[in-house]
Amino acid sequence: MRYGYFDEKAREYVITRPDTPTPWINYIGNGKYGGIVTNTGGGYSFHKDPQNRRITRYRYNNLPTDRPGRYIYVRDRLTGEYWNPGYQPVQRKLDSYRCRHGMGYTVLEGEYKGIAADVTYFVPDDRDFEIWLVQIRNLCHVERNLQVFSYAEFCFWDAIMDQQNVDWVQQINQGRYEDRLITWHPHHFKDACAFFATNAEINSFDTNLEAFIGRYRCESNPIAVETGACSNSVSYRMNGVGAFCIDVNLKPGEEREIIFILGFTENKSTIRDEIRDYLNVEYAKEALKRLKDSWEEYLDKLQIETPDRETNLFVNTWNQYQCKITFNWSRFVSMYSWGLGRGIGIRDSAQDTLGVMHSIPELAGGLIKRLIHCQYTDGRVYHLFFPLTGEGGIGDAPVVKFDWYSDDHLWLPIAANAYLKETANFDFFQSVVPYNDNKTEGTVWEHLNRAMEFTYNHRGPHALPYSRADWNDTLNLDMGNGIAETLFTSMLFSEPPLKRFRCRISDKRIATKYRYWYDEMKQAINEWCWDGEWYIRAFDDEGNVLGSGKNRYGKIFINSQSWAVLSMVAPEEYAKKCLESVYRHLNTKYGIVKVYPAYPEYNPKIGGMTTYPPGAKENGGIFAHTNPWVMIAECMMGNGRRAYQYYRQILPLTRNDDADLLEVEPYVYCQNILGKEHPQFGIGRNSWLTGTAAWNMVAVSQYILGIRPEYDGLTVDPCIPPDWKGFKVRRIFRGCVYNIEVRNPEGVRRCEKNCRRGVETDKIPVKPAGTVCECVVIMG
Ligand code: IFM
């Protein structure tokens, strides 16, 4: 079953029926004020931090699902019938329905008995509020007397407290009204408030949710809408709502436009000034146009034209879009992590910078410094932090508690290296950033070195990094002996400054140290961790091996194979063998599973991953985040066909017609898909905020198409399926537009070194900003 289609020209995904298997969402806002909008108008809003400053409420684990949201009710005064253009919450069957999710905006369009109503939701110009632009048209031949009601259910700003301390929260909430403006704030806050406003003449309003809904009713049949008037309630306690009732009489063919604005301010007295312009419909429409233009500018930095239309669509629009949303919100706020407890993950955000580095390198560099600020003086980092308060910590890992992860700090050099390659701004190394105690500070370079030193100084009996958990949050081997070791972190450690920065370090002593560390780690890996056909995964806290052919379960793990190649610690023979083993043991038609066979039961010696049933999440699920690492490894080994096969396997839009199985949105990557050992093989979960977005962007653009930024130029090193006759890439790099055409007349899968014609070497040198560089590369 399909629920929608891609409108390529408009860069929209258009949902044509409201009953999607899960709510299919979009994000509005730019990482400051923002919100989630679902295809039926559900979702919630927040300001800077969805945990500490929630604006509207959402009912988690609720049935019916996806409530409440930003609702518009339309009521016919003659018949008393009422409905929503987005179908929910009234659920009246509409004569036509569409949800158009675009870049930073969503439009719900519903038609019922000759009345067409659209609502467009977006955040204008990086402001601290969102606009709901309502357009309502009379398609009939007779005049229609209608009413429009709005509904925004306020939340106590501390979203956890809103659930936990109902006693306190519901005594202190205050809702007030004055001249088409509703404000909402706790009693002890005098200036800061959430607000809801309109430009229309109103019939009536409600600030109190109970008054609007009525006793023993819900959002589907609010008493106010049913009776055709709000009760002008002032809310002295309990729950709040931004509800207006507006009378709309429409002659045949007539249209009316209404603006609602929902937002947050630190200073109540400035609200009217802040929103005045945006209450003008034309001004609001211009703001929407500016928003669309800014997304075009963002996407314009990289555009591709390959023989695969679906790859083009994904890279040119949806994958890049998802990368930015993920960059904004890390893993904090989605339909799976509700903005409660997760915060901004350090390892996650460091990886997210890789997906946007080509388009917004300066913002990415800024985030990297913010992450570096989360470092302790000993070199490790918080696991996550909260953007509003700056507080950091270790997070909410289930089952097993520990105080640091072996890998978090090691993602920082990788991100910094990507920033340097994109910008060549080596002064970045010299920027001074405080440590998380705010008492001491160091240059970025010092911070990165401390990260490396921390790992080097915390190693176990095989000279591999000690581990409580690594990238795999749920592989928790530490039982108190302090000897569990992780191969993944060993490989991560071997990847960045050790090899990449070495060439930039003029200080011979440090360069020699890194060379030595790298050789030492590489030797330990190959001495202790090669299992014959693949690399093992770890040593547990009793010195037993995980991820070996000798194990009954968990024989082979994906990450030790891909990272053996990425970190270049594997000799060629081992690299080939371990990638072949991935294909043989782990690959499925929906993607590569993370481990096989999965663990059948909970095993405290292995930890959180065994809390999942076989085939789910980290226990044998298709953890999509890990798949692009295998694609990159295959490209590094010259296997374009297989890399592309892996790429297509998890490309979400290929599941558009099979949406009942995938369940989640076909326009973005999801974090995990239930694996082959699960009875529901193929179902996706945790769409949107996942490292899958950034890493697929890197895999397809930098390895399959092979356009890679280097300190001193742009490498063109494609590794494509041999039947591709070529492709084109438009890439803006350090201000120069590179129009690159790759031709593959002989059907090869990879350029041989120095074989290219059209460029002198395999690297296009840096050209002056403002110029255009035309470049033809012929594979052969
Ligand atoms: O690497 C983690 C990520 O940080 C959060 N989601 C799960 C991944 C694998 O455990």
Side-chain angles (χ1 to χ4, degrees):
M1 167 75 77
R2 75 195 324 237
Y3 292 81
Y5 62 90
F6 290 88
D7 180 340
E8 289 185 41
K9 201 154 167 271
R11 299 198 199 270
E12 289 175 350
Y13 187 83
V14 184
I15 301 168
T16 49
R17 38 185 302 168
D19 56 341
T20 49
T22 57
W24 285 6
I25 72 163
N26 194 9
Y27 285 77
I28 55 173
N30 206 11
K32 200 164 64 135
Y33 182 94
I36 286 175
V37 186
T38 79
N39 61 302
T40 65
Y44 52 101
S45 300
F46 38 86
H47 178 239
K48 291 186 181 164
D49 183 325
Q51 177 171 310
N52 295 302
R53 199 171 280 153
R54 187 69 66 97
I55 307 299
T56 57
R57 209 179 250 161
Y58 196 73
R59 288 187 243 299
Y60 322 113
N61 297 331
N62 190 47
L63 288 178
T65 192
D66 193 16
R67 302 235 181 137
R70 303 168 183 81
Y71 295 138
I72 294 295
Y73 300 81
V74 181
R75 179 175 185 273
D76 186 325
R77 293 172 87 178
L78 194 65
T79 62
E81 260 192 310
Y82 55 90
W83 64 94
N84 311 100
Y87 175 69
Q88 284 240 71
V90 175
Q91 297 193 348
R92 187 166 313 277
K93 192 168 175 343
L94 299 165
D95 297 334
S96 78
Y97 156 92
R98 288 202 317 174
C99 163
R100 289 164 33 215
H101 284 320
M103 307 285 105
Y105 68 93
T106 287
V107 187
L108 297 176
E109 303 172 345
E111 196 180 310
Y112 185 67
K113 291 193 177 168
I115 299 298
D118 306 350
V119 200
T120 306
Y121 303 99
F122 67 102
V123 174
D125 300 321
D126 218 9
R127 296 288 167 150
D128 290 332
F129 51 80
E130 64 190 66
I131 292 182
W132 309 2
L133 169 61
V134 177
Q135 298 172 300
I136 179 160
R137 282 179 302 285
N138 180 1
L139 308 175
C140 306
H141 297 295
V142 291
E143 182 168 338
R144 299 288 292 272
N145 296 327
L146 307 166
Q147 292 180 312
V148 167
F149 290 78
S150 64
Y151 178 102
E153 181 174 329
F154 292 115
C155 186
F156 184 57
W157 302 339
D158 180 330
I160 294 179
M161 206 62 98
D162 188 65
Q163 307 275 306
Q164 275 179 353
N165 198 340
V166 178
D167 171 32
W168 181 56
V169 162
Q170 295 201 347
Q171 293 287 359
I172 63 170
N173 283 331
Q174 303 278 305
R176 296 290 183 268
Y177 169 82
E178 196 192 318
D179 187 19
R180 294 181 271 183
L181 174 65
I182 289 170
T183 53
W184 179 258
H185 60 87
H187 174 66
H188 57 298
F189 278 79
K190 292 295 174 216
D191 288 329
C193 68
F195 60 85
F196 191 71
T198 182
N199 65 342
E201 277 306 322
I202 66 162
N203 159 314
S204 48
F205 69 89
D206 271 315
T207 74
N208 181 262
L209 182 66
E210 284 78 1
F212 180 81
I213 297 280
R215 291 186 189 168
Y216 296 96
R217 287 168 174 263
C218 67
E219 310 96 326
S220 320
N221 59 351
I223 191 76
V225 181
E226 200 161 297
T227 55
C230 297
S231 59
N232 295 344
S233 58
V234 173
S235 200
Y236 296 105
R237 49 190 278 281
M238 299 303 284
N239 298 294
V241 71
F244 291 120
C245 168
I246 295 160
D247 295 332
V248 179
N249 297 334
L250 294 176
K251 296 201 169 52
E254 200 184 350
E255 178 179 270
R256 170 99 184 262
E257 295 178 308
I258 301 169
I259 302 259
F260 296 102
I261 296 187
L262 170 67
F264 179 85
T265 181
E266 305 280 358
N267 184 351
K268 205 188 286 181
S269 65
T270 63
I271 298 175
R272 288 190 196 275
D273 285 345
E274 284 172 27
I275 63 175
R276 182 168 295 113
D277 288 343
Y278 297 89
L279 287 171
N280 175 305
V281 171
E282 290 316 312
Y283 195 90
K285 286 182 182 170
E286 277 165 29
L288 179 60
K289 169 144 190 335
R290 283 196 294 279
L291 175 74
K292 291 182 182 177
D293 290 347
S294 72
W295 276 104
E296 284 302 323
E297 196 185 322
Y298 166 83
L299 298 171
D300 187 49
K301 303 281 168 43
L302 177 72
Q303 290 290 296
I304 68 167
E305 205 183 308
T306 75
D308 181 347
R309 233 187 94 233
E310 294 182 328
T311 297
N312 300 343
L313 171 59
F314 231 66
V315 172
N316 292 338
T317 302
W318 290 95
N319 192 179
Q320 293 204 64
Y321 180 53
Q322 184 182 2
C323 283
K324 179 61 171 42
I325 302 298
T326 310
F327 174 84
N328 288 346
W329 292 113
S330 193
R331 311 296 172 269
F332 200 0
V333 55
S334 69
M335 300 301 268
Y336 309 89
S337 297
W338 300 98
L340 306 171
R342 278 294 296 268
I344 301 289
I346 308 298
R347 87 151 73 88
D348 300 320
S349 291
Q351 292 171 81
D352 296 341
T353 64
L354 307 179
V356 297
M357 198 58 85
H358 62 279
S359 46
I360 46 169
E362 291 317 321
L363 287 182
L367 179 60
I368 293 168
K369 282 196 206 165
R370 183 72 192 82
L371 302 177
I372 286 176
H373 179 34
C374 292
Q375 191 174 36
Y376 293 90
T377 49
D378 66 6
R380 76 205 146 95
V381 287
Y382 291 147
H383 187 55
L384 50 82
F385 75 99
F386 293 90
L388 193 68
T389 60
E391 283 165 14
I394 208 69
D396 61 351
V399 191
V400 189
K401 300 285 171 210
F402 38 82
D403 49 3
W404 53 272
Y405 289 69
S406 65
D407 67 315
D408 283 343
H409 48 282
L410 292 176
W411 295 101
L412 298 175
I414 292 195
N417 192 35
Y419 171 78
L420 293 173
K421 287 190 169 182
E422 187 65 35
T423 61
N425 172 19
F426 285 94
D427 291 346
F428 185 73
F429 273 149
Q430 302 314 322
S431 332
V432 174
V433 180
Y435 287 91
N436 67 16
D437 60 10
N438 276 321
K439 291 185 197 124
T440 45
E441 58 183 29
T443 62
V444 166
W445 176 246
E446 283 159 3
H447 278 272
L448 299 181
N449 276 293
R450 283 197 195 184
M452 300 301 294
E453 273 159 15
F454 183 83
T455 297
Y456 190 76
N457 295 334
H458 289 80
R459 288 178 303 147
H462 302 90
L464 304 173
Y466 171 56
S467 190
R468 290 143 157 96
D470 57 26
W471 169 88
N472 184 355
D473 287 329
T474 60
L475 184 59
N476 315 123
L477 305 174
D478 180 48
M479 303 287 290
N481 299 334
I483 61 164
E485 294 169 293
T486 153
L487 188 58
F488 176 83
T489 304
S490 323
M491 291 169 168
L492 194 65
F493 177 80
S494 307
E495 157 64 8
L498 294 187
K499 282 199 314 296
R500 303 280 166 86
F501 288 172
R502 210 170 52 220
C503 59
R504 313 299 311 181
I505 302 168
S506 46
D507 182 331
K508 287 269 173 302
R509 203 175 41 85
I510 297 184
T512 310
K513 178 177 89 174
Y514 279 154
R515 172 85 240 169
Y516 176 75
W517 284 4
Y518 173 69
D519 290 345
E520 197 184 350
M521 193 64 82
K522 182 175 172 179
Q523 193 192 334
I525 290 169
N526 286 302
E527 183 176 343
W528 298 109
C529 305
W530 180 247
D531 195 55
E533 296 292 319
W534 59 79
Y535 285 94
I536 62 153
R537 178 61 171 84
F539 292 98
D540 74 12
D541 216 19
E542 291 164 350
N544 303 311
V545 170
L546 269 84
S548 157
K550 297 183 199 77
N551 295 124
R552 182 149 176 220
Y553 303 107
K555 283 176 184 292
I556 171 169
F557 286 69
I558 188 171
N559 286 351
S560 342
Q561 323 317 325
S562 53
W563 276 87
V565 181
L566 265 64
S567 63
M568 295 191 213
V569 294
E572 190 169 350
E573 183 204 340
Y574 288 7
K576 280 186 183 153
K577 272 194 181 168
C578 71
L579 289 182
E580 198 48 38
S581 297
V582 168
Y583 187 69
R584 200 149 11 102
H585 300 288
L586 302 179
N587 193 38
T588 77
K589 60 180 173 176
Y590 297 133
I592 313 167
V593 299
K594 206 207 85 181
V595 56
Y596 185 78
Y599 296 95
E601 278 161 13
Y602 176 56
N603 180 346
K605 292 184 185 173
I606 295 172
M609 71 178 275
T610 61
T611 60
Y612 291 108
K617 292 269 285 192
E618 284 98 331
N619 190 19
I622 297 159
F623 215 94
H625 185 156
T626 63
N627 281 219
W629 290 335
V630 184
M631 295 168 208
I632 294 172
E634 288 289 2
C635 287
M636 288 171 73
M637 298 304 292
N639 297 326
R641 197 196 299 271
R642 191 165 279 173
Y644 183 63
Q645 177 191 343
Y646 288 146
Y647 178 74
R648 289 278 311 178
Q649 276 177 186
I650 61 162
L651 193 60
L653 62 69
T654 61
R655 310 280 300 274
N656 194 46
D657 294 345
D658 191 15
D660 280 316
L661 178 56
L662 184 66
E663 288 195 352
V664 292
E665 300 91 329
Y667 42 90
V668 287
Y669 287 102
C670 61
Q671 180 215 53
N672 70 89
I673 297 169
L674 292 171
K676 58 183 174 177
E677 294 181 83
H678 196 283
Q680 293 175 303
F681 178 37
I683 291 185
R685 281 275 298 181
N686 297 35
S687 51
W688 282 96
L689 303 185
T690 160
T692 317
W695 279 107
N696 268 297
M697 196 66 215
V698 172
V700 66
S701 62
Q702 298 190 26
Y703 288 87
I704 295 178
L705 303 183
I707 315 294
R708 274 197 296 280
E710 300 289 350
Y711 306 116
D712 53 357
L714 206 52
T715 291
V716 183
D717 180 23
C719 189
I720 54 178
D723 54 338
W724 278 18
K725 292 287 170 243
F727 63 88
K728 291 181 183 164
V729 171
R730 181 176 183 279
R731 167 79 152 88
I732 300 184
F733 178 59
R734 299 189 201 160
C736 168
V737 179
Y738 291 83
N739 290 320
I740 301 166
E741 183 182 351
V742 174
R743 295 182 197 152
N744 187 21
E746 291 160 30
V748 299
R749 58 185 187 174
R750 186 170 204 176
C751 284
E752 292 304 323
K753 243 192 160 21
N754 302 323
C755 72
R756 297 172 184 83
R757 281 168 261 155
V759 283
E760 283 165 25
T761 67
D762 55 355
K763 203 177 291 165
I764 312 172
V766 179
K767 303 282 181 184
T771 60
V772 177
C773 172
E774 305 289 341
C775 172
V776 178
V777 176
I778 301 175
M779 296 174 70

